[in-house]
Amino acid sequence: MVTLRQLRYLSALARFGHFGRAAESCAVTQPALSMQIADLERTLGVKVVERRPGEVFLTEIGREIARRGEDLLTASRDLVDFARHRAQPLTGRLTLGVIPSLAPYLLPKLLPLLQRRYPELRLELRESQTRQLVTEVGSGALDAALLALPAGHRDLESIALFDDEFLLAVPADDPRPETATVAVDEIDQSRLILLEDGHCLRDQALAFCATARNRAITIGGTSTTTFGASSLTTVIQMVAGGYGLTLIPQIAAEIERRDTRVKFLRLQRPQPGRTIGLAFRKTSPRRRDFEAFGEVVKEGVGGRSSVAQPVA
């Protein structure tokens, strides 16, 4: 019989393309992993890997077996979750992904509440961009992810938690008072500073401004201003230095406004923003955990307005 261990080792081999690194990720020796892969090949009667000096490739059928194996591994993890977490919500291990434009601003509010409310919860965090988090939630590598909705994956379900409006961050010497509201056509888009490619906040800002990507001063892009910034804090420092302006979520502005060289202006209504939610697999048995987690998030942000209902 094919075992879950063999499928897990094959999944690691598909991910790393190297026996040594795959074995290290599975906390086993390289010979042990290689032996299990060989047993898998004998059981199935097919070659799943092509070995070459210093590298390894999955065969065409090996890639398909690895893909189908991921579904079985995810189902097995869900089965364990169902048994372990049926009695009480938010106990044991929970692997959570968080996007970078949210993690440093929400987690300081959220983690103390979780510790007090659910002391038996063992939270494991991963900060990454939306696309990677969605992939890892779908594969079962993560239980859930806090990100901007929609998640854009047919196998995921989401619970909307709160709305996060955008503000315009400008240098403190900008002549407009902080009480001013700014129309989109008043934004000098040639001075707009954005995060590097891959960040959903960058795409949301571009969509709001309805401007071509190459008209923005893009940190990490093809412009001559290339700092490779992947954090809002770095972008705010650029604004503080007088190099431009940016759109920033309100949850981040609450912390970033400590820099007196920057001020934040509201945008004219309908004010742009994003909806923050918790995305998880439709097949996950931990919906009660996710709903309880969502309530703590909403409490952490002060009961900010939210949709608070499942959305695909």
Side-chain angles (χ1 to χ4, degrees), residues 34-46:
S34 182
M35 183 177 65
Q36 288 293 324
I37 296 296
D39 286 345
L40 176 64
E41 290 178 323
R42 281 193 293 270
T43 300
L44 297 176
V46 296

Side-chain angles (χ1 to χ4, degrees), residues 9 48-49 61 89 114 125 134 155 176 180 185-186 212 221 245 277 312:
Y9 291 176
V48 298
V49 296
I61 193 169
L114 282 172
L125 293 170
V134 166
D155 294 329
R176 291 167 290 192
D185 56 6
E186 296 175 339
L245 45 88

Side-chain angles (χ1 to χ4, degrees), residues 4-27:
L4 292 175
R5 176 182 298 172
Q6 290 169 344
L7 294 177
R8 185 163 63 91
Y9 291 176
L10 180 63
S11 174
L13 197 57
R15 187 164 64 252
F16 292 101
H18 188 277
F19 274 104
R21 289 193 291 273
E24 184 179 356
S25 73
C26 295

Side-chain angles (χ1 to χ4, degrees), residues 81-254:
D81 284 342
F82 171 75
R84 286 180 176 173
H85 304 287
R86 192 174 180 184
Q88 294 181 338
L90 292 179
T91 59
R93 180 173 176 257
L94 178 70
T95 55
L96 179 73
V98 192
I99 55 175
S101 61
L102 187 63
Y105 311 108
L106 178 61
L107 293 181
K109 302 177 180 182
L110 177 61
L111 296 182
L113 283 174
L114 282 172
Q115 184 64 35
R116 289 197 301 269
R117 189 87 35 93
Y118 299 102
E120 295 184 27
L121 175 67
R122 191 172 85 251
L123 188 65
E124 297 181 9
L125 293 170
R126 170 166 167 73
E127 182 179 328
S128 190
Q129 295 177 9
T130 298
R131 185 180 305 173
Q132 182 64 28
L133 295 182
V134 166
T135 298
E136 293 187 15
V137 173
S139 70
L142 290 173
D143 294 314
L146 281 166
L147 41 73
L149 300 180
H153 192 296
R154 60 185 177 85
D155 294 329
L156 300 189
E157 188 172 342
S158 304
I159 299 175
L161 300 176
F162 65 93
D163 294 328
D164 196 15
E165 295 179 337
F166 291 161
L167 303 175
L168 183 66
V170 298
D173 60 3
D174 186 282
R176 291 167 290 192
E178 288 194 79
T179 55
T181 57
V182 182
V184 63
D185 56 6
E186 296 175 339
I187 297 175
D188 184 355
Q189 295 177 14
S190 67
R191 301 187 65 228
L192 193 62
I193 303 175
L194 302 175
L195 291 169
E196 62 187 357
D197 275 327
H199 288 267
C200 60
L201 184 59
R202 167 192 169 89
D203 297 333
Q204 292 157 359
L206 285 170
F208 166 65
C209 294
T211 183
R213 288 174 182 263
N214 60 5
R215 290 188 59 193
I217 301 175
T218 305
I219 306 295
T222 57
S223 168
T224 54
T225 311
T226 54
F227 290 87
S230 59
S231 74
L232 280 173
T233 297
T234 303
V235 172
I236 288 296
Q237 288 302 305
M238 291 290 294
V239 174
Y243 288 96
L245 45 88
T246 194
L247 292 176
I248 185 170
Q250 184 169 321
I251 195 169
E254 293 168 4

